[in-house]
Amino acid sequence: MSMSFTRRAPKRAAVALGIVAVLALAGCAPAAQGDAASDTPTAGGTLTYGRLASASDLDLHTQITANNAFAIDKIFETLVSFDENGKIIDWLAESHEISEDGLTYTFTLQPGLQYSDGSDVQAADVKFSLERNLAKEGPLMLTAPIANIATDDAARTVVITLDEPYTPFLSELTSFASGVMPADFGGKSEEDYLKAPIGTGPFAVSEWDPSGDLNYVKNEHYWQDGKPLLDGLDYVFVADDNQLLQRLNAGQIDAIEQVPAANADAVANAAATTLLKGDSWAIEQIFFNTQKPEFADRNVRRAIAQTLDLPGIAKATTFGTARPASALIPPAIEYSAADAHDATPVLANDVAAAKQELAKSGYPDGFTATMLIPSGNSARAQIAQIVQESLSEIGITVEIESIDLAAFRDRFKEFDYDFMINSGQSDAPDPNGLVTFQADPEGFSNSFWTHYTNPEVTKLMHEGRTTPDGEKREQIYLDIQEILAGDVPYIPVYYSPNLHGTTDKVHGLESLPNGSVRFQDAWVTAK
């Protein structure tokens, strides 16, 4: 027996939206950018979109970083997706049902789906794509206990059977890594296909330099009638956030992926630019490499956490645009402990307590460590300087190493760092994704490249996956956050809002909480 499924909106959504409203700057556009009442959407034109990093790889099953993820999701689409509030919605699937025992998921595809080359989408393509996701064992591999994926003769139905109930399964399916590609790469070799992949997304690749720009053209076979409005979308690579802003202000590019917090008010209030601010699943954090002896010491990590004034850091580095963090899971995701803690972290700022904690460690007289940060990010450079100054109060000397973004990613993935500033980002609306990526020692990232391991957290993490939504599941994630806050393998610093900037000729962008932007409703005014 089956039942129709409509996921309830996260019960904390109203709180999260309230936070955004409180933090909203004068002149900000809402998360979904609207056009003036007198304006009528106009088809045609190309929108140029400035980004801090180029898209280096378009393989949806091997990538995770934003530079690639938010290029891939313009090409590939998923059975289900989410809206600007994080509510799960049907997408390539016209509808879906879940059996009462939670083991069988049945998806019916939208009628007449086609890829950007005009070929038909088949249910077998979904099966191929999801099975490739499992086989690649990439960073966003499906972790649901999938027993079988079956399709019907009519080519519109996909039935996925699980070995046991898995509450976050729909959420996992919203990730770009669950996107649909043609079975057997449409008759091409895998290598050739991924050089210019076709998908069901609103845009298709026209030209691509993996170390530079990426140019898209309109998908003439897109399944949403009349969309996209744009003829083209150009991702323009600019390695420095200040240069991005300068080009936006000069009208040399139409929109930028990330507005520096220091400039958010200026972008919002300028006559020729608009700030598009959206709720976010991202957290700026300080990560410790627990393979390093100093940071393997729990007392050291706890001492550092108590040394830092997180509200002060958030205010100084984000100019009031971000909320100081008090738990791992952002308040925009269900079961966040942020409000349970009343905006106060488990280990609050207390230098005297920090000194006592350090005295209990194996390094009572302090030590020297290097903080790794990516260059071209003014906020992280400022955070590093504040950390450097703060830790000197308890005898820890911090040296700051700033390197280009690509090298930064290579270094931390090889565990070649002491501690670093990086952002945690949920790719889906369920808390399991973020917790798994940051606390699973057997997962792809080894607890976000910290190598942190806690058997109790691992046990609770597995329980959270099989427990139905409700008070019991909420308590599991509250307990996980409490343990992580006490062990401090990382310090959540603040919840980052999405800050996108546009010129006044751009309309209809939709900011999503995972940091991506939807362009199928976007249009540009000719000037």
Side-chain angles (χ1 to χ4, degrees), residues 289-518:
N289 181 356
T290 64
Q291 291 183 319
K292 299 289 183 179
E294 297 88 347
F295 296 129
D297 193 317
R298 182 174 182 267
N299 295 113
V300 167
R301 302 194 305 266
R302 288 172 59 88
I304 291 174
Q306 293 174 94
T307 305
L308 301 180
D309 174 12
L310 300 184
I313 292 175
K315 183 177 180 180
T317 61
T318 75
F319 298 83
T321 63
R323 172 180 171 175
S326 54
L328 172 63
I329 299 173
I333 296 178
E334 198 166 21
Y335 308 143
S336 169
D339 296 304
H341 289 158
D342 195 25
T344 301
V346 170
L347 298 174
N349 179 217
D350 186 334
V351 175
K355 290 178 179 178
Q356 294 174 6
E357 195 77 52
L358 191 65
K360 301 175 187 175
S361 76
Y363 304 88
D365 299 320
F367 55 90
T368 298
T370 299
M371 171 164 275
L372 188 67
I373 62 172
S375 59
N377 188 311
S378 53
R380 289 183 183 173
Q382 191 175 3
I383 294 172
Q385 292 167 2
I386 295 173
V387 171
Q388 184 182 56
E389 181 178 348
S390 300
L391 296 196
S392 67
E393 296 185 54
I394 61 172
I396 297 177
T397 300
V398 176
E399 297 173 351
I400 301 171
E401 183 180 3
S402 177
I403 59 177
D404 73 82
L405 185 59
F408 172 78
R409 287 173 173 151
D410 289 340
R411 284 274 299 274
F412 75 72
K413 288 179 180 179
E414 294 170 359
F415 290 92
D416 184 14
Y417 75 99
D418 294 343
F419 66 147
M420 67 170 174
I421 301 174
N422 208 340
S423 59
Q425 170 72 64
S426 181
D427 296 284
D430 190 274
N432 173 71
L434 188 60
V435 168
T436 295
F437 202 74
Q438 293 209 188
D440 188 351
E442 298 179 352
F444 172 84
S445 69
N446 286 303
S447 300
F448 209 117
W449 295 279
T450 63
H451 228 280
Y452 168 75
T453 302
N454 183 314
E456 180 61 19
V457 170
T458 302
K459 174 177 173 290
L460 288 170
M461 181 175 60
H462 287 288
E463 289 179 4
R465 294 171 182 166
T466 58
T467 302
D469 274 321
E471 291 185 4
K472 183 176 180 181
R473 190 167 192 246
E474 178 178 30
Q475 190 59 54
I476 289 171
Y477 286 102
L478 292 176
D479 290 345
I480 289 173
Q481 290 169 89
E482 191 85 8
I483 295 170
L484 293 175
D487 281 354
V488 204
Y490 22 76
I491 302 173
V493 179
Y494 56 75
Y495 304 120
S496 309
N498 290 321
L499 301 174
H500 311 292
T502 76
T503 63
D504 59 357
K505 65 182 282 190
V506 176
H507 311 268
L509 298 188
E510 183 182 3
S511 176
L512 297 175
N514 69 340
S516 189
V517 170
R518 284 200 178 117

Side-chain angles (χ1 to χ4, degrees), residues 94-439:
E94 181 181 46
S95 64
H96 68 272
E97 293 183 339
I98 305 175
S99 62
E100 289 187 349
D101 61 7
L103 298 179
T104 303
Y105 290 68
T106 302
F107 300 90
T108 302
L109 296 179
Q110 300 276 1
L113 282 177
Q114 292 182 316
Y115 292 108
S116 57
D117 66 351
S119 59
D120 293 333
V121 176
Q122 306 287 333
D125 299 340
V126 178
K127 175 180 171 68
F128 171 82
S129 302
L130 298 183
E131 288 179 346
R132 184 175 186 265
N133 174 300
L134 294 167
K136 283 291 184 180
E137 297 186 342
L140 290 174
M141 182 183 75
L142 291 166
T143 56
I146 296 175
N148 185 57
I149 303 174
T151 61
D152 71 335
D153 293 335
R156 283 189 60 205
T157 303
V158 180
V159 180
I160 303 175
T161 305
L162 307 182
D163 283 325
E164 62 178 354
Y166 188 84
T167 304
F169 183 44
L170 273 186
S171 179
E172 282 192 359
L173 289 176
T174 68
S175 164
F176 71 90
S178 296
V180 177
M181 61 168 59
D184 299 319
F185 312 106
K188 297 181 179 180
S189 70
E190 180 175 328
E191 181 180 2
D192 287 343
Y193 171 79
L194 290 171
K195 289 178 181 177
I198 64 164
T200 66
F203 298 97
V205 175
S206 173
E207 296 183 30
W208 173 37
D209 176 358
S211 60
D213 297 347
L214 171 60
N215 305 122
Y216 296 102
V217 293
K218 174 180 181 176
N219 176 1
E220 299 286 353
H221 303 278
Y222 194 50
W223 58 277
Q224 295 185 25
D225 290 341
K227 301 179 185 180
L229 294 170
L230 297 168
D231 288 335
L233 172 65
D234 291 345
Y235 275 8
V236 179
F237 169 46
V238 180
D240 182 83
D241 53 9
N242 288 318
Q243 290 182 29
L244 266 181
L245 188 64
Q246 290 170 11
R247 295 186 65 176
L248 178 73
N249 289 332
Q252 296 171 345
I253 52 181
D254 300 319
I256 60 177
E257 188 170 46
Q258 183 176 336
V259 174
N263 306 106
D265 191 54
V267 171
N269 291 306
T273 58
T274 298
L275 183 72
L276 180 63
K277 183 174 182 179
D279 210 357
S280 169
W281 296 334
I283 326 99
E284 196 72 359
Q285 299 176 74
I286 296 167
F287 292 87
F288 299 103
N289 181 356
T290 64
Q291 291 183 319
K292 299 289 183 179
E294 297 88 347
F295 296 129
D297 193 317
R298 182 174 182 267
N299 295 113
V300 167
R301 302 194 305 266
R302 288 172 59 88
I304 291 174
Q306 293 174 94
T307 305
L308 301 180
D309 174 12
L310 300 184
I313 292 175
K315 183 177 180 180
T317 61
T318 75
F319 298 83
T321 63
R323 172 180 171 175
S326 54
L328 172 63
I329 299 173
I333 296 178
E334 198 166 21
Y335 308 143
S336 169
D339 296 304
H341 289 158
D342 195 25
T344 301
V346 170
L347 298 174
N349 179 217
D350 186 334
V351 175
K355 290 178 179 178
Q356 294 174 6
E357 195 77 52
L358 191 65
K360 301 175 187 175
S361 76
Y363 304 88
D365 299 320
F367 55 90
T368 298
T370 299
M371 171 164 275
L372 188 67
I373 62 172
S375 59
N377 188 311
S378 53
R380 289 183 183 173
Q382 191 175 3
I383 294 172
Q385 292 167 2
I386 295 173
V387 171
Q388 184 182 56
E389 181 178 348
S390 300
L391 296 196
S392 67
E393 296 185 54
I394 61 172
I396 297 177
T397 300
V398 176
E399 297 173 351
I400 301 171
E401 183 180 3
S402 177
I403 59 177
D404 73 82
L405 185 59
F408 172 78
R409 287 173 173 151
D410 289 340
R411 284 274 299 274
F412 75 72
K413 288 179 180 179
E414 294 170 359
F415 290 92
D416 184 14
Y417 75 99
D418 294 343
F419 66 147
M420 67 170 174
I421 301 174
N422 208 340
S423 59
Q425 170 72 64
S426 181
D427 296 284
D430 190 274
N432 173 71
L434 188 60
V435 168
T436 295
F437 202 74
Q438 293 209 188

